Structures are given as structure tokens and as C-alpha cells.
Amino acid sequence: MFFILMFIFVGVAYGQTFTLSGKILGGKDPLPFATIYIKGTTQGANSNDEGKYSLKLNAGQYTIVFQYVGYSKQEVYVDLTENKTLNVSLKADVISLSEVIIKAGEDPSYPIMRKAIKKRKYYSNQVKEYSCQSYIKGLQRLNNIPDKIKKLVKMTSGDKLDSADLGVIYLSESESNYYFKKPNLQKEIMYSSRVSGETKSFSFNRLSQMKFNFYENLVNIRGISARPFVSPLNGNAFLYYRYILLGTIKEDGYIYNKIKVIPKRKNDPCFSGIIYIQENAWRLTGVDLFITKDQNINFVDTLTIKQLHSPIIGDSIWMPVNHNFSFSFSFMGITGNGYFNAIVKNFNLNPQLNDKFFNNEILVIEDGANKKDSLYWNANRPVPLTREENVDYRKKDSTEKITDTPRYKDSVDAVRNKFRFTNILLGYNYSKSTRRISYSVPGIVTNGVQYNTVEGLNLSYNFSLTKEREDFKIHKYNGRIRYGFSNYLWGGELGYNYFYNPKKFSRIGIKVKSIVEQYNPAEPITPLVNSIYTLFLNDNFMKLFRETAIETNQFTEITNGIFASTVIKYAQRESLKNMSDKLIIDDKNKLFTSNDPLHIYTNDSLFSTNNALTAELSMSFRFKQKYISLPNEKIITGSKYPRLSVTYKKAFPVLNAMADYDLASATVYDEVNLGLIGKLGYRVKGGAFLNTKNLYFTDYKHFLGNQRLININDYLSSYRLLPYYTYSADKWFTEIHVEHHFNGLILDKIPLIKKLKMQEVVGVHFLSNNNIKKYYEINFGLENIFKVVRLDYVLGYGIGNKIISGFTIGFNLGL
């Protein structure tokens, strides 16, 4: 009986779970995000921002390893039969230089780096496939908001910012299963997600965006820089880096070389910091690197990346088990910092994954991932919360229960819906949060009062009404009301769209209108810019006609990467003449041109009123399109293949419609990342009228030309110096647009100019059709001037066999 009872007692004891916790110090300072794991496994945890850790284990005997980049590893034997506190103080790396042989003129790190670089490809391709689990926590905080920013927010939105808005602004945790297969197949399945104060939201922490591979030549950090960064193990690293051997570290019978990496040129896209290379194996075992504003990064001032690699199978295969990057930022006096930390465990190096498993879905957020309660997270998170994080969860989760009530939402809406003087200029938005309804109208600056020579002074009033449902389906109403004071012409438009399947981007809509439109439906001239040019420079480039129509449209994704849209329209088109010649500055050497696009000094080609019944079918193909799946949404992330679009438009001469034509066209578009030398974008279009029995000028193929200093059209679809309508096509056409963005490749090497963060761009544009045999444009430009301005110098050839030139300025302001 005694032995039976002892057996039961021991079995129960060893079946119990206990907590090993404590604090990890480096001297007197806490070590944030230190790695703690059971020796011989990848099971473990991290310390939090305060150096505290917590590890839940079954009763038993363990050797616990404590490790931190820059400090000597420490192993502690633990016999766990109850909850135990174990504080650990790690010592800085014990560096030895006694065995290093220094050759004349060369630091001893260089032979080490040559061997490590030689084995770069071997280690990069060593693991063909694997799966693992990850836990990621992200936090961002605001440290200061200037008074002038607080006043601006108060004036424009009515929201009041105070000290309560400082501190943590974003806190999230997630757990995922991650799968990878060479050459670059990957998939992540997030099964747990928590966002502080937003229980209905999902975290977008992704291991795939944190596991930077320094065995690759280039390291891409999305959102931080348009250019990739050169790895310290790059095949040509000696062109970019200097190396200094700080010493060697002996642990567990192995020798590790601690090497300082220094960019040769301050402005190159390179890292600074420390890397660790294992002697004889020449593998990377840890990194502690950073980049700063000197590398022309965006949004942050400094970004620090730390990785710790550990053996997975003996000493033959090492994998990163901890990824951490922290950052600080400042903008217009607003300062803050934050971090993302990932713990990776449970590696399976032979998951036997079929290629079909990946199916272009790179991230799946499971339904119910955000439904896990605090008890679940307390039991499963491998990093204990800091006091700041605990307070943030309690505060925001409690606040959300209040802010989600109808009474609170109505009170917030009452403040935000209050009409202010700035709404007259910038527009007005009205919300009814409890019913998920929003309404918006434009301001004078964004729309409102305009001028053109057809209508004279005119008022254009746009509005939209949106009703969202909890299942992400949306009802949207939009309309326009317009009146011209010189031609006394009223106009209006009313449209309705129903977005009925968010995962397929599906929508169906109907629109009725009788309103003034530009001949080119792409609207190459914005009303505000046209008003300025007409009133002050005597250039009335905008050409208008009146269209009365009813239209139905439909759009959906048939299967991943294949989209279809249809538009059926019955329209009456009516030509218009100039009815106003008012201006503010009168240039005696200029006369207004007529509203006849083809004969600017007469009205000879103005068409007679006619009807058209058209049907347009478009198909778009993006092969192997990558995407993210949420429970009620799909997010497209791109593809390595170009996008192909084909369109067929048919005009039917029935129901009193006179137009009779067929137009077939196709477009190929892509943007290609070329690494350090920048990004190349291109768009090639071509088409032909297969039937032109009855074709009106409104039906011609018009091109996005430009005759102004200001050009805000899409740069990969437009020309800078081409007249708007002179060379519109009525038989066939070919367009080619190519632009290369150097992303600072040249200017980043010029110290004073580099601080402005301007970037170089060059482009080539070509047009050929039945009305102009060949037209070329070459542009040389600077973009990202003050972050929103682009300046181009353009050369054109093909109009009258003469070379033309000019400057254009573009703004990303939506004018």
C-alpha cells in the first residue's frame, strides 16, 4: 500500500504544472527580451520590457538556459516541485584576444568574414522546409505631442488631446503556426489574436515580416525604406562594410567571434552593430544591428534588429528562435517608440508540405482568433506583461465596454458632427455610429465653386451616404448636383452601389445622371486647376459635353487573381458651347479656345445630339496573386507576375441609338523591385476599333495628356506635354509608359541633398496611333520633395517633327 501511494503521489506531482519566474539582469540593469529555454529544446520564453520572465513547466528536473545577445550564456539546474522564483544576473561577454593572430594591414575579422560569406549560400539553403510556432507581441507608445498639434486637431475635428493620449497607443499579441518551403513558399495561420481596447479587431503581427534572413544578399524592410539593405554577409560585403574583431567567446566547448560591422560610407543602405560568427562552422549565431536616418529610412529615426540563433538538431542546424526589433520616431515634435518581439519554437524540419498547401494564401486569421479571453492569454503567453501593459489592457478593455455603448457613441458623434468654419473649406462629415451610417459633402477647396468657359461660374455639390453592416456588407449612395450660372444649366447624378461579398470584392450598382462631363472619362484636368488656368492665364483647356444616361455595373473576383467587370449604359450625348469669357487677369495676346476639341477656334466639329447603347466587359488577370484571409475579408498583397487586363466594348445601334462600333484593348502592368538600383514600373496598352460604322468624338480613345505646369495624373498612364485631344484615336493605338525610381541611389550619396530625402526618377513614354505616327517623351525628375512634390523636366518629340520641352510639377494632394 505504501509503494502504491508513493507511486500515485509521485505521478500526481510530476503531472502538475508549476511556474518558474524571476528577473534577468545585466549587472544592475534589466535585460529586456532575453531568451530563456530548456536545454536541448526550443521550448522557452522571453523576458519582458522590464526583464521579468515566467515559464510554465511540468514538475521535473531541468537545465534552464538564459541567453542575451552581448552577454555570456548561463545554465541553471532546476528541480521543479513547486512554484519557484529564480533571478539571474548575466555577465557581459568574456572577450579574449590572446589567440588572435593579427596580420599586417588587416583586421583578424576579415579571414573570418571571408569564410562566413563563402558558406552563406550553404546555410541559406540548408533547411529546405520547416514549420514552427510563434508568439509575437507589439507595442507602440507616444511620449510627446506639441501644443500646436493639439490645437490643430481640436480645430479640425473637435477632438481634444491631453496627457491621457500619451503612453501606449497600440498593444497586441498573437500566436501563429508558420510554414515555409524553398524557394519562397510560406504560409502563416494565426489562431490567437488580441488587440488592446479593440476586441473585434485582429493583430497583423506576422513572423514572415520579422524573420529577416541575413544569409541573403539583401534584406528588405517593408515600409521603412524603398531600397533594401545590404547584409553584412552579402557576397560583395567588403565593398560596403569594414569589420573589426572585438574578440572571441568560449561557451560549451565552442568559440564564437564577436565582430563589429561598420558601413564604409555613411549614406549607403547598410547596417551598423555586432554579429556573432561560430568558429570552424562559420555560421551566424546572433545579430545586434541598427539603422538610422543616415540610411534615409522613413517614419522612424532608429531601428534596431536583434536575432538569437540556437541549435535545433545537435550542432548541425541552427535557426533563429528570437526576433526583436525596436524603434524610435519623431515628427513635427511628436515623439514615440515601440517594439515587436517574436518567440519561435517547436520547429519541425520535415513537415512534408505539399506545394498545394500554400495556394498563394500567405496569412490566414482563423475565425474566433480574437475571441480568446484573458484566462487563455495568462496561461499561454510566454512573456509576462509589464505593469504598463497590464494597465493598458485593463484600462482600454474597460473603456471599450463604455465606448461601445449607444449612449457614448452618440455623445462622441455629437462633438464630431458639430459644424465648424473649416468645414466650409475642407468639407463636412456626419456620422451616426450606432447605425453605422456616415455622410460627407465637399468643401470649397476640394470641390464647390468652380469656373469654366462653358458654364461660367458653377457650383458643384458632391455627397455620399454609406451604410455598413456588421457582416462587412456595404450600401453606398453618392450623387452630384451642378449648376452653371452662364448657361443656366442644372445637372445631377445619383448612384447606388451594394458591396455584397467582401471576400470577393463583389459589388453591383446603378447610376442615373444628366450632367456636364469631360470628353475624356479619365478627366485629365481637375476643376480647381482648370479654374486657376482659365481665370488667371487665359487657358481654358477643359472641354465639356452633356451626358444624360442610365448605367448598371458589376464587379467581382471569379477566382483568386481573376476579376470580371461589366458596364451597360444607355446615354444621350449633347454638345455644348462657350457661354462665358470672364477672367481675372487678361492676357491680350491670348484668346479663349472654343469648346470644340478638334477645332479650337471654331465649332465646326461639334457633334449633333445622339444616343448610344454600350456594353463593356473587362477581365483582369494577376497570376499567383498572394493574399491574406480574414474571417470576413480578403487583402491582396501582390504577385511577382504582371497584371493583364483585356476589355471589349460594343455599341449597339438599337433602341434609337446611333453609335455603332467595337473596341478591343489590352493592358499589361507591373512594378519590378530591382534591389539596390530601385524599382521599375511599366504599363503597355494597345487596342483597335474593329468596327467604326458610326463613331462620335465622345467614343474616341482619348489619352491622358497635359498642357499645364501642374500635372497630377498617374505617371504610368499619362504624358506630360501631349495636347489633350489633338491626337485622340479613332482606329488603333499603342501606349508605352516606363519609369524607373532610383529611390535615392545617387542623391543619397550627396550629404546636404540627402537630408531632403529627394529621390531620382526617369521615364520614357511612347504613343502611336492613326493620327500620330510616333510620339516620344523622356522625363528626368526629382520626387519626394517635401514628401508630396515631384518636379520633372520633359523632352518630347513627334509633334511637327520638333523637339519640345518643359517642366511639370506634381502634387499628391488629390486636387
Side-chain angles (χ1 to χ4, degrees), residues 222-236:
R222 294 183 179 181
I224 297 297
S225 175
R227 280 200 295 166
F229 293 88
V230 179
S231 168
L233 296 176
N234 185 289
N236 296 309

Side-chain angles (χ1 to χ4, degrees), residues 26-94:
K28 295 181 180 180
D29 299 321
L31 295 180
F33 315 117
T35 301
I36 307 99
Y37 63 93
I38 302 170
K39 187 174 182 179
T41 75
T42 58
Q43 181 183 355
N46 273 179
S47 61
N48 63 20
D49 207 16
E50 299 169 340
K52 297 178 180 178
Y53 74 94
S54 178
L55 187 61
K56 293 179 175 60
L57 299 170
N58 291 329
Q61 299 173 344
Y62 302 94
T63 299
I64 307 299
V65 181
F66 297 86
Q67 198 167 3
Y68 191 81
V69 175
Y71 288 77
S72 295
K73 180 171 65 176
Q74 185 171 334
E75 297 181 2
V76 179
Y77 172 80
V78 174
D79 187 1
L80 197 61
T81 58
E82 60 182 350
N83 293 335
K84 182 174 290 189
T85 299
L86 176 63
N87 296 323
V88 174
S89 180
L90 299 183
K91 297 180 180 179
D93 287 333
V94 179

Side-chain angles (χ1 to χ4, degrees), residues 779-795:
N779 61 281
F780 307 89
L782 296 174
E783 58 185 349
N784 205 39
I785 304 172
F786 308 119
K787 296 190 179 295
V788 295
V789 179
R790 171 169 165 170
L791 175 66
D792 282 278
Y793 176 68
V794 190
L795 293 171

Side-chain angles (χ1 to χ4, degrees), residues 721-722 775 777 793-797 799 802-806:
L721 303 176
L722 183 73
Y775 174 73
E777 280 185 0
Y793 176 68
V794 190
L795 293 171
Y797 178 77
I799 300 176
K802 295 181 180 179
I803 296 177
I804 56 178
S805 63

Side-chain angles (χ1 to χ4, degrees), residues 227-511:
R227 280 200 295 166
F229 293 88
V230 179
S231 168
L233 296 176
N234 185 289
N236 296 309
F238 294 111
L239 299 176
Y240 296 92
Y241 288 102
R242 291 190 299 112
Y243 301 94
I244 298 175
L245 178 63
L246 299 180
T248 60
I249 304 162
K250 292 183 178 180
E251 282 184 352
D252 300 331
Y254 296 101
I255 296 176
Y256 303 92
N257 298 285
K258 185 176 183 179
I259 298 174
K260 185 175 183 178
V261 298
I262 306 168
K264 281 190 172 181
R265 291 166 293 276
K266 183 179 179 181
N267 303 315
D268 278 352
C270 295
F271 298 95
S272 300
I274 307 294
I275 61 174
Y276 294 82
I277 303 293
Q278 187 183 32
E279 187 78 10
N280 297 322
W282 314 117
R283 64 162 58 90
L284 190 67
T285 62
V287 303
D288 187 356
L289 301 172
F290 65 90
I291 50 178
T292 67
K293 281 184 174 180
D294 289 334
Q295 281 71 46
N296 213 355
I297 56 180
N298 300 316
F299 307 116
V300 298
D301 298 333
T302 303
L303 175 67
T304 301
I305 300 173
K306 294 184 179 181
Q307 281 186 359
L308 180 65
H309 298 226
S310 289
I312 305 301
I313 299 178
D315 188 53
S316 62
I317 296 179
W318 290 51
M319 298 287 286
V321 296
N322 181 229
H323 305 264
N324 175 271
F325 65 85
S326 55
F327 53 88
S328 61
F329 61 88
S330 61
F331 177 71
M332 296 179 63
I334 301 173
T335 61
N337 56 33
Y339 68 84
F340 284 88
N341 187 65
I343 300 172
V344 188
K345 62 180 181 179
N346 296 337
F347 283 90
N348 179 358
L349 302 185
N350 187 30
Q352 298 182 349
L353 300 172
N354 190 295
D355 288 355
K356 294 181 179 179
F357 167 77
F358 294 94
N359 71 350
N360 301 311
E361 190 178 37
I362 60 174
L363 173 63
V364 181
I365 301 179
E366 292 184 342
D367 193 10
N370 58 352
K371 300 295 190 295
K372 308 292 177 63
D373 59 18
S374 59
L375 293 177
Y376 172 87
W377 286 104
N378 290 338
N380 288 277
R381 71 165 56 91
V383 182
L385 296 176
T386 64
R387 181 180 181 279
E388 178 186 41
E389 293 162 355
N390 264 311
V391 169
D392 189 72
Y393 269 133
R394 287 198 302 267
K395 175 184 174 182
K396 290 181 179 176
D397 289 350
S398 298
T399 302
E400 185 184 19
K401 295 177 182 178
I402 299 173
T403 58
D404 207 32
T405 61
R407 182 179 178 181
Y408 182 86
K409 289 181 178 180
D410 289 343
S411 66
V412 172
D413 288 342
V415 174
R416 293 182 177 176
N417 293 338
K418 185 178 179 180
F419 192 84
R420 298 170 180 82
F421 174 76
T422 53
N423 297 133
I424 299 175
L425 301 175
L426 302 177
Y428 176 70
N429 296 305
Y430 173 88
S431 297
K432 185 67 175 176
S433 302
T434 54
R435 299 179 61 188
R436 296 175 175 265
I437 293 176
S438 61
Y439 174 78
S440 66
V441 294
I444 294 175
V445 174
T446 55
N447 217 309
V449 180
Q450 306 166 7
Y451 180 83
N452 61 66
T453 54
V454 173
E455 300 170 290
L457 183 69
N458 64 85
L459 294 177
S460 181
Y461 181 83
N462 296 9
F463 63 89
S464 67
L465 175 66
T466 303
K467 166 66 176 175
E468 298 184 14
R469 291 168 34 171
E470 291 190 5
D471 58 2
F472 290 84
K473 295 179 181 179
I474 299 174
H475 300 272
K476 187 170 184 178
Y477 303 85
N478 60 277
R480 291 187 289 166
I481 300 174
R482 189 181 181 106
Y483 180 73
F485 286 91
S486 292
N487 64 354
Y488 310 107
L489 189 64
W490 281 97
E493 176 181 303
L494 182 63
Y496 165 74
N497 284 279
Y498 176 42
F499 299 82
Y500 59 91
N501 187 346
K503 300 204 76 168
K504 290 286 188 180
F505 311 98
S506 304
R507 71 172 185 268
I508 188 169
I510 186 170
K511 179 166 61 177

Side-chain angles (χ1 to χ4, degrees), residues 133-147:
Q133 288 181 303
S134 70
Y135 164 85
I136 302 176
K137 179 163 65 176
L139 180 145
Q140 290 89 53
R141 61 172 70 88
L142 280 179
N143 298 326
N144 180 64
I145 303 176
D147 290 339

